[in-house]
């Protein structure tokens, strides 16, 4: 099983995505706001500062919009490690950077 790790960020926030690459699709997506907590869903964090909360909610909304794009799987899968892509159809542009590729089968052996 082939997997990869990307970071999705804007000027205020970042989110780590770990996903399986299967049949030219991004499957089994796991999201993390840090390296300790992983979830199948986009993390909904709460902030006491109203502006920070608004900015975070917008960040998550932009990511949801990104994943509705027809070519989103290709953007993630075809990226080279360290390469950055910018998604500008967002309220605040998102940067996507592939940071690692790995094979679960090799890790198990």
């Amino acid at each position: 099983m082939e997997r990869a790790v990307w970071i999705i960020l804007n000027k205020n926030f970042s989110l780590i995505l770990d996903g399986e690459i299967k049949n030219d699709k991004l499957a089994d997506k796991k999201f993390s706001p840090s390296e300790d907590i992983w979830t199948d869903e986009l993390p909904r964090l709460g902030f006491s500062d109203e502006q920070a909360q608004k900015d975070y909610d917008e960040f998550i909304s932009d990511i949801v919009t990104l994943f509705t794009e027809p070519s989103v799987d290709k953007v993630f899968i075809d990226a080279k490690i360290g390469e950055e892509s910018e998604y500008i159809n967002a309220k605040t542009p998102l940067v996507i950077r592939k940071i690692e590729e790995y094979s679960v089968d090799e890790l198990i052996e």
Side-chain angles (χ1 to χ4, degrees):
M1 174 185 345
E2 298 300 314
R3 296 187 71 89
V5 180
W6 300 265
I7 188 165
I8 304 169
L9 56 142
N10 69 10
K11 65 181 183 180
N12 299 311
F13 300 100
S14 65
L15 187 66
I16 301 168
L17 167 63
D18 180 300
E20 179 182 1
I21 300 169
K22 184 177 184 179
N23 299 325
D24 293 325
K25 297 281 185 195
L26 190 57
D28 188 34
K29 295 184 279 285
K30 306 289 185 203
F31 299 95
S32 178
S34 67
E35 294 183 17
D36 298 333
I37 301 168
W38 291 92
T39 178
D40 293 337
E41 299 175 3
L42 289 167
R44 299 289 180 175
L45 302 179
F47 297 90
S48 59
D49 180 281
E50 287 183 36
Q51 187 58 48
Q53 186 66 56
K54 182 180 174 213
D55 291 345
Y56 183 75
D57 291 344
E58 187 175 284
F59 174 63
I60 294 299
S61 176
D62 288 340
I63 293 172
V64 169
T65 302
L66 166 67
F67 279 104
T68 63
E69 293 285 339
S71 62
V72 70
D73 292 327
K74 185 169 180 47
V75 170
F76 280 91
I77 294 168
D78 290 350
K80 306 289 184 237
I81 293 179
E83 180 180 282
E84 289 186 353
S85 298
E86 189 173 37
Y87 178 66
I88 57 173
N89 293 337
K91 291 179 184 173
T92 303
L94 298 172
V95 173
I96 304 154
R97 182 182 311 130
K98 190 179 223 177
I99 56 177
E100 181 181 9
E101 295 175 334
Y102 64 97
S103 172
V104 173
D105 298 332
E106 289 176 16
L107 292 175
I108 293 172
E109 291 174 3

